Amino acid sequence: MEDMSPDRDDGDHQGASRGGGLTTGEVARRLGVAPTTVRSWDRRYGLGPTAHTGGRHRRWTAVDVARLERMCALTATGLPPAEAARLALDEAGPRAPAPQVASVRSALPAARGRSRAGTGLRLGDVRQECKGVARAALRLDAAALDGLLGAAIEEHGLVAAWSEVIMPTLQAVGRKWETSGERYVEVEHFLSWHVSGVLRRHAPPAVADRPGATTVLACVPGENHTLPLEVLAAALAERGLPVRMFGGALPVESLVAAVRRTGPAAVGLWAQSRTTASRPLAQHVAALEWGVRGARRKPVVLTLGPGWAGQTVPGSPHPSGLAHALTAVESIALR
């Protein structure tokens, strides 16, 4: 178990401005580990930086980072840290001279750029943050994963963080699971759980109901994939729109009761699979009415998720993603 005790590196907060390679904190963010883990690998296994700027300031070169990336990849397969470090050092061979200071950053991928990350997951051309999130998930590192997910939301905003960091990583883990038999199921569950927790912590307080402006969100019966609805609920609250979230596999009678009690402007029904998507259910909810005679209202039903593909429901929009779903709900709720 790696040393996770608090530790300070005076250079971590100044690396970007002072130049000369990456600081320990910057390297940790790229790798998806805690800074104390990087320092522990240095102390225990000799995986430290080749360049120092004097005093306690640490500067990591492209060669140093490549060695740590190999360490991360090996430990993600379950190899003990000591053995992984030995292999990483052996493969790297004798330490190369440190590159010139000005060339270090250009030799490394930009923190906010794209990455074809070597995590063992087929991430493709994605944001650099996906690499760290994937590695933290593979290591089942809760603290690092929470920190990376929270930082992505704070830096990019909820919609971009979901679309460009979280969802690509979830999809990569899902592909890994599908091609590896029963392996990596725990990684997918672990990552989903922490995404859900981070969404709740970063979501604003629930918005009070406003007549004709509320949105009801629920998974159709037999469907338990709630995560996409959770991010939509958080994004709607972020925009000051009232939302009532009912989660997974809501029975039909309960869904009808919720719609009649709240009188929503929109109802979002999530179906991950075509076997759970039900056109009759969507039509039934869309036909529900409330209000006084002469001013009766009906909700607009949004069919959300891949399960609805190919199942056109007249009068029910089928947004293709989070941004489109937000636009659709806003246009309905703000009429």
Side-chain angles (χ1 to χ4, degrees):
M1 182 173 178
E2 299 300 332
D3 177 15
M4 298 297 290
S5 60
D7 193 335
R8 289 194 58 124
D9 186 326
D10 295 341
D12 283 359
H13 304 290
Q14 306 174 41
S17 61
R18 298 178 64 166
L22 299 181
T23 65
T24 300
E26 289 170 328
V27 169
R29 286 190 291 273
R30 288 172 181 269
L31 298 175
V33 302
T36 48
T37 299
V38 177
R39 299 185 189 108
S40 176
W41 288 349
D42 179 6
R43 291 194 300 268
R44 295 184 182 187
Y45 311 122
L47 292 172
T50 55
H52 288 252
T53 59
R56 299 176 62 213
H57 296 162
R58 304 159 182 238
R59 293 295 180 268
W60 300 76
T61 69
V63 173
D64 299 330
V65 175
R67 189 166 49 246
L68 290 180
E69 286 178 336
R70 182 58 178 154
M71 175 72 171
C72 287
L74 290 168
T75 55
T77 67
L79 202 66
E83 179 64 13
R86 186 186 66 77
L87 290 174
L89 288 168
D90 287 348
E91 292 173 7
R95 290 197 178 188
Q100 292 297 315
V101 165
S103 66
V104 172
R105 290 179 182 272
S106 62
L108 292 165
R112 295 177 184 171
R114 319 302 285 182
S115 170
R116 298 184 180 274
T119 60
L121 300 179
R122 292 178 305 198
L123 285 166
D125 184 21
V126 295
R127 279 191 177 272
Q128 179 71 22
E129 290 95 329
C130 293
K131 184 176 184 177
V133 171
R135 281 178 167 155
L138 285 170
R139 289 195 319 277
L140 306 183
D141 188 334
L145 185 57
D146 276 355
L148 290 165
L149 292 170
I153 292 174
E154 290 175 2
E155 180 171 356
H156 303 298
L158 187 58
V159 175
W162 169 258
S163 302
E164 300 180 25
V165 178
I166 298 171
M167 191 168 63
T169 310
L170 283 166
Q171 291 172 337
V173 172
R175 290 192 296 269
K176 189 72 171 179
W177 171 23
E178 291 173 356
T179 59
S180 304
E182 292 301 312
R183 296 181 61 199
Y184 299 101
V185 175
E186 76 284 359
V187 176
E188 184 179 48
H189 284 234
F190 181 76
L191 178 56
S192 297
W193 173 261
H194 281 273
V195 170
S196 180
V198 169
L199 286 174
R200 289 176 182 270
R201 287 194 294 275
H202 283 77
V207 180
D209 281 326
R210 295 199 304 272
T214 299
T215 297
V216 164
L217 298 177
C219 290
V220 298
E223 183 59 70
N224 288 295
H225 288 78
T226 64
L227 200 54
L229 285 188
E230 291 177 47
V231 70
L232 177 57
L236 289 171
E238 192 176 62
R239 285 157 174 75
L241 294 174
V243 59
R244 295 297 171 263
M245 169 68 164
F246 292 91
L250 188 64
V252 174
E253 60 272 17
S254 301
L255 173 61
V256 170
V259 171
R260 284 180 169 156
R261 288 177 63 183
T262 57
V267 177
L269 298 179
W270 179 271
Q272 184 76 15
S273 168
R274 293 189 180 187
T275 61
T276 59
S278 169
R279 183 186 298 173
L281 172 61
Q283 292 172 326
H284 179 62
V285 173
L288 295 175
E289 293 184 330
W290 59 86
V292 299
R293 184 175 299 176
R296 306 285 283 174
R297 300 192 60 181
K298 298 180 181 180
V300 175
V301 173
L302 286 81
T303 55
L304 306 172
W308 296 101
Q311 297 199 48
T312 302
V313 181
S316 296
H318 178 55
S320 60
L322 175 60
H324 289 163
L326 280 171
T327 300
V329 171
E330 285 183 311
S331 67
I332 295 166
L334 299 177
R335 285 176 181 172

